[in-house]
Amino acid sequence: MNFKGKNILVTGAAGFIGSNLTYELLKLGANVIGIDNLFNGLIENLEEILENKSFKFIKGDIRDFNFLLEVFKDIDIIYHEAAFTSVPQSILMPESCNDVNVNGTLNILNAARKKDVEKIIYASSSSVYGETPSLPKEEDMPRIPISPYGVSKMTCEAYMQVFHQVYGMKTVSLRYFNVFGPRQKDSPYSGVIAIWLGRIIDNKELIIFGDGEQSRDFTYVKDVVRANLLAAEHEISGEIINLGAGSPITLTELGKLMLKLTNKEELKIVYSDPRLGDIMHSFADISKAKELLKFQPKYTQEEGLRDYFKWYCKKYNKNLIIS
Ligand code: UD2
């Protein structure tokens, strides 16, 4: 798709994935409206584009239907990235997770329908698969989530499909597998790579919840952004598509790799109790993304980690020697 002059709305634009997507859309010449309630998102994630004439940031909440009706004017495509994002937090606050993820998404679909938005591309999650034994995960495998977060993402995928089937709206769900990279927050509830990078910089040991044998298909955010662009470009609708690197590593391997790449092998990896709601293995079969989106990941995990660490050191003026 030629994004030049297209009107795109990104929900969760001040968040990790939403902000990366927003920067890329602006580079491609789109007009972007970014909305965020700034609960998880940070305005500093948008600091380089706040003055850009093709970008408008509006603070607001996806649970507010009237707000959505106001901002969904002449929008071609919505990228819906706003979410309650933490699996462990969803176990502490299942109602809030449901409210933001399910009610918020339903609001978006309803408002988009009223305002004739052309297409919605939704950020789903590999957590919908839960703990089923078969690997790698294919899209038509059973969805048996084991956390309120996983339930909320599964429900929203189903809504995306139903709005396609019942109302003929164009919707696509991309099932993200553990995304990492620039602008991911280092907070107790953020992704493991961001947390560990913060600890490496502070010369602290890395903590693994469980025996470290759990594995994840860590996917670099630049690949995720590219797949989102492809999902708009290709004439597909009503689809759910895995979006992963297609090459899982265990947490122990990840810890060792991060220490090696940052030349901090003297730091220890320590093991602690497993985390409730944690799935053991997550690994994407990305054949469907290759077929429908012509998507091929460009970053191996190691390349992604290097790129991310370099960005981080430059941005925050940190002194790490990256191998
Ligand atoms: C991530 C996403 C979630 C969802 C899911 C899909 C985040 C914050 N969450 O959940 O939104 O899309 O992927 O599968 O990106 N861990 C440690 N030590 C730490 C922190 C985490 O060992 O200090 C472990 C944790 O127990 C888990 C693994 O690292 O086994 C990954 O945890 P995570 O919080 O980065 O991501 P996950 O898979 O729970």
Side-chain angles (χ1 to χ4, degrees):
M1 171 179 286
N2 184 358
F3 284 92
K4 214 170 170 42
K6 285 268 174 197
N7 296 326
I8 316 268
L9 187 136
V10 179
T11 74
F16 161 44
I17 301 173
S19 60
N20 279 284
L21 191 53
T22 301
Y23 279 86
E24 195 56 34
L25 288 164
L26 288 169
K27 268 194 217 154
L28 295 172
N31 303 312
V32 184
I33 294 180
I35 64 170
D36 203 302
N37 65 358
L38 297 181
F39 188 75
N40 260 328
L42 301 169
I43 202 73
E44 89 171 50
N45 281 341
L46 300 171
E47 65 193 358
E48 290 140 65
I49 47 172
L50 284 173
E51 302 299 320
N52 186 322
K53 290 201 167 40
S54 304
F55 178 62
K56 190 171 175 192
F57 175 74
I58 308 174
K59 188 176 173 210
D61 200 299
I62 58 169
R63 288 167 291 185
D64 180 349
F65 187 66
N66 289 326
F67 165 68
L68 296 181
L69 285 181
E70 260 170 51
V71 293
F72 286 8
K73 275 189 199 127
D74 303 320
I75 298 295
D76 299 310
I77 297 167
I78 294 174
Y79 282 106
H80 178 25
E81 311 298 309
F84 185 112
T85 55
S86 162
V87 175
Q89 235 174 356
S90 80
I91 291 171
L92 300 173
M93 297 184 254
E95 315 84 349
S96 304
C97 176
N98 189 78
D99 199 22
V100 175
N101 289 1
V102 179
N103 297 337
T105 299
L106 188 55
N107 269 345
I108 285 181
L109 282 163
N110 275 324
R113 185 172 157 239
K114 271 191 188 277
K115 296 289 179 179
D116 294 320
V117 173
E118 224 171 82
K119 193 165 190 174
I120 304 180
I121 298 165
Y122 174 61
S124 185
S125 155
S126 55
S127 61
V128 301
Y129 291 112
E131 205 55 299
T132 52
S134 326
L135 292 167
K137 301 296 183 198
E138 292 165 19
E139 288 83 350
D140 51 10
M141 281 178 177
R143 294 179 281 197
I144 312 176
I146 58 166
S147 65
Y149 174 83
V151 171
S152 73
K153 289 283 165 177
M154 178 179 81
T155 309
C156 293
E157 282 185 348
Y159 270 130
M160 289 290 152
Q161 286 191 308
V162 162
F163 270 65
H164 164 72
Q165 278 154 12
V166 177
Y167 306 115
M169 287 172 67
K170 286 190 190 154
T171 63
V172 177
S173 294
L174 297 177
R175 261 183 205 160
Y176 299 164
F177 281 67
N178 291 74
V179 188
F180 72 99
R183 302 190 187 87
Q184 190 168 30
K185 214 167 159 181
D186 167 18
S187 85
Y189 291 110
S190 99
V192 63
I193 293 177
I195 294 174
W196 282 359
L197 177 58
R199 295 185 70 87
I200 288 173
I201 283 167
D202 293 343
N203 288 312
K204 289 183 177 154
E205 77 275 13
L206 308 184
I207 301 166
I208 291 188
F209 303 132
D211 63 4
E213 285 306 301
Q214 69 265 49
S215 60
R216 294 290 186 272
D217 195 4
F218 293 101
T219 313
Y220 196 45
V221 70
K222 291 187 182 171
D223 279 328
V224 171
V225 166
R226 226 161 28 78
N228 271 283
L229 302 178
L230 291 169
E233 276 171 37
H234 287 85
E235 273 299 317
I236 48 166
S237 185
E239 299 286 353
I240 296 176
I241 304 170
N242 282 345
L243 183 46
S247 61
I249 59 172
T250 67
L251 265 280
T252 299
E253 284 166 345
L254 173 72
K256 287 184 182 163
L257 179 61
M258 287 183 66
L259 294 178
K260 184 177 129 223
L261 292 177
T262 52
N263 287 289
K264 293 276 184 116
E265 276 162 303
E266 71 277 11
L267 294 180
K268 285 203 177 71
I269 296 179
V270 298
Y271 294 84
S272 161
D273 290 341
R275 206 172 67 178
L276 208 62
D278 229 17
I279 53 174
M280 198 59 200
H281 299 294
S282 184
F283 168 18
D285 180 319
I286 52 172
S287 327
K288 193 171 175 183
K290 287 181 180 167
E291 191 195 323
L292 293 187
L293 303 179
K294 310 289 174 246
F295 169 75
Q296 183 68 45
K298 281 196 178 154
Y299 289 83
T300 62
Q301 273 140 0
E302 193 168 322
E303 287 163 349
L305 288 171
R306 251 193 224 108
D307 195 64
Y308 173 36
F309 296 164
K310 285 184 184 154
W311 174 89
Y312 190 96
C313 290
K314 196 168 162 213
K315 171 99 181 154
Y316 297 106
N317 208 11
K318 299 285 180 193
N319 246 339
L320 272 183
I321 303 154
I322 314 294
S323 298

